[in-house]
Amino acid sequence: RCPLMGNQVKIMDAAQVDRALARMAHEMIEKNKDLSNVALVGVHTRGVPLSKRLAERIAQFSGRWVDWGSLDITRYRDDFTPVTDGPIVQDTNILFPLRGRTVIIVDDVLFTGRTARAAMDAIMDIDRPKSIQLAVLIDRGHRELPIRADYVGKNVPSEYQQKVNVRLLESDQEEGVYLTSE
């Protein structure tokens, strides 16, 4: 558990996270009529359990299971330099074909857009999907790249220096979203 510094405000509790994911799953079903061609790919770390939860919700609401997997974007990030601490490389676990499919990249927070860009680069190195969509639990603005999410759990206006901390049971043993100021 990493300590949170400064003042923090809980902006989503477990029930609100659950409702947001349910709504996002419904939107995915509505937008993608042929779910057999849809695959969810979660960006490590918190995008992975979010993608699994979304896949479960899609199955619950539509009766159709969609493939889901995990994606490590460490080598695709543009903010890693040899001077910084070495990155922790995690597994990419995509055990299904991407070619010709709609791949929905799932992440916890959309901020500058650089993580989403890195995820798209990583996907394109694996294979060439028909299309790529983006789903995020939190969109906090401050884009540095022309990237927008197709599915958003909650828009959270924030100041650039603030932090949005998503805490999930699977990785943090608690559930909620916090806006933190130093």
Side-chain angles (χ1 to χ4, degrees):
R1 179 177 173 138
C2 64
L4 300 176
M5 298 175 17
N7 298 323
Q8 68 176 351
V9 176
K10 191 171 201 174
I11 54 177
M12 290 179 86
D13 61 22
Q16 290 168 313
V17 169
D18 191 53
R19 279 193 303 276
L21 292 175
R23 181 178 38 77
M24 291 168 67
H26 278 294
E27 290 171 1
M28 290 174 184
I29 293 165
E30 199 171 301
K31 185 171 184 174
N32 299 286
K33 299 300 181 201
D34 184 6
L35 292 174
S36 66
N37 282 325
V38 172
L40 302 176
V41 176
V43 176
H44 278 291
T45 294
R46 287 167 188 81
V48 176
L50 291 173
S51 68
K52 181 176 188 243
R53 290 186 198 184
L54 285 165
E56 290 167 349
R57 285 303 185 103
I58 289 170
Q60 175 188 355
F61 300 145
S62 72
R64 299 247 4 186
W65 182 255
V66 295
D67 290 327
W68 69 275
S70 63
L71 182 67
D72 177 57
I73 62 160
T74 304
R75 291 184 174 93
Y76 296 87
R77 295 194 60 90
D78 63 6
D79 58 356
F80 171 69
T81 64
V83 176
T84 63
D85 291 336
I88 299 172
V89 177
Q90 303 187 47
D91 288 336
T92 290
N93 187 12
I94 298 176
L95 304 175
F96 44 85
L98 299 179
R99 182 168 298 276
R101 298 180 86 174
T102 296
V103 174
I104 303 174
I105 296 170
V106 180
D107 202 5
D108 56 350
V109 178
L110 178 57
F111 182 29
T112 62
R114 293 182 180 280
T115 297
R117 185 216 39 92
M120 286 188 277
D121 289 348
I123 291 290
M124 296 303 284
D125 272 359
I126 294 168
D127 207 347
R128 187 175 187 316
K130 178 181 138 198
S131 66
I132 296 176
Q133 298 173 4
L134 178 61
V136 296
L137 182 61
I138 303 294
D139 183 344
R140 61 168 293 195
H142 302 287
R143 225 62 90 238
E144 295 174 3
L145 299 172
I147 291 176
R148 66 161 181 80
D150 299 279
Y151 312 97
V152 177
K154 184 177 181 79
N155 287 292
V156 176
S158 64
E159 296 177 23
Y160 192 87
Q161 68 277 9
Q162 290 178 306
K163 304 268 189 257
V164 174
N165 297 295
V166 174
R167 318 277 295 158
L168 300 175
L169 289 173
E170 296 90 339
S171 55
D172 307 298
Q173 293 72 52
E174 71 172 286
E175 191 93 359
V177 180
Y178 300 87
L179 183 62
T180 306
S181 303
E182 294 197 14

